[in-house]
Amino acid sequence: MTTTTALWSFALVVGLLTLTPGLDTALVLRTAALGHRARAWGVVVGIQTGVLAWGALTSLGVTALLTASQVAYEALRWAGAAAYLVWMGVQMLRKRARETPESGTDPAARDTFASGWRQGTLTNLLNPKVGVFYVAVLPQFLPADTNHLAMGLLLATEHILLGLLWSTALIAGARLLSTWLRRPAARRTLDRLTGTVITAFGLRLAFGD
């Protein structure tokens, strides 16, 4: 496999992965739709930071531990599912349950790039399925005559660029809903939906195969 073929083939695989609705999509949409523009971009960059980290670690062979060691995989699965994803989803549900119809915006939400970046990075790094995907797929696109670290980072960068393009479309689409989402009832509905999705994902990650 040549470098050009590897790049095109990997772009097709991760392009389809990027377009598939999932946890990252829900998190970006929810944050942007609530009008937290700076935080939304922080979430996007945080997610892509996680992608770059997984790509680098896979290229170095470190994340092979996730497939070689059941203990390592289970530890990350429970840390990501029980300790973070479920907690984050439940917090969204509890927050909106406490909010009154007259409360309007959420005063606890910090519309900062840094807070979004932390959330996006943790969400991605604590999802072992992302690591397993990279361990299973990335090596197949590393030509034998290339520097594996450099090529792995190049492929991860390709994934990041596709993710940024898709996230830009998501944030732009969410802005079209901003007028409707200014209503407290709409905000509560969105947070309930997103909180349910994130909690369900975390539980599936914890108790699924």
Side-chain angles (χ1 to χ4, degrees):
M1 179 183 292
T2 65
T3 299
T4 302
T5 301
L7 288 171
W8 280 109
S9 301
F10 190 73
L12 177 61
V13 172
V14 296
L16 293 173
L17 178 67
T18 299
L19 292 174
T20 302
L23 178 63
D24 292 349
T25 299
L27 193 58
V28 172
L29 269 178
R30 178 257 177 187
T31 308
L34 291 179
H36 301 155
R37 186 173 178 82
R39 185 183 178 93
W41 278 112
V43 169
V44 170
V45 175
I47 290 169
Q48 305 314 322
T49 299
V51 169
L52 183 62
W54 283 120
L57 291 173
T58 301
S59 302
L60 291 170
V62 175
T63 49
L65 288 173
L66 289 176
T67 53
S69 170
Q70 185 67 18
V71 174
Y73 178 83
E74 290 297 326
L76 185 57
R77 185 173 74 156
W78 280 98
Y84 186 68
L85 293 180
V86 172
W87 174 84
M88 183 168 62
V90 169
Q91 287 296 105
M92 288 182 187
L93 295 172
R94 290 181 60 193
K95 178 181 66 180
R96 289 304 169 188
R98 292 193 302 264
E99 221 175 46
T100 63
E102 295 77 20
S103 61
T105 59
D106 176 16
R110 291 182 298 165
D111 184 19
T112 65
F113 183 91
S115 61
W117 180 84
R118 286 193 296 271
Q119 186 178 38
T121 302
L122 283 173
T123 299
N124 190 277
L125 289 179
L126 290 176
N127 185 353
K129 291 191 175 181
V130 179
V132 170
F133 169 81
Y134 262 82
V135 169
V137 174
L138 191 67
Q140 302 178 41
F141 296 91
L142 297 177
D145 59 345
T146 62
N147 180 294
H148 285 183
L149 176 58
M151 187 63 188
L153 291 175
L154 182 60
L155 292 172
T157 299
E158 187 174 50
H159 190 182
I160 289 169
L161 291 175
L162 290 172
L164 289 174
L165 287 174
W166 178 236
S167 296
T168 300
L170 290 176
I171 292 174
R175 291 189 66 185
L176 299 177
L177 300 174
S178 60
T179 300
W180 176 70
L181 286 166
R182 288 194 184 101
R183 294 182 291 179
R187 286 173 171 265
R188 290 195 299 274
T189 299
L190 181 61
D191 261 7
R192 284 167 184 161
L193 286 172
T194 309
T196 300
V197 168
I198 291 175
T199 302
F201 184 90
L203 291 173
R204 182 181 176 185
L205 192 62
F207 298 106
D209 295 331

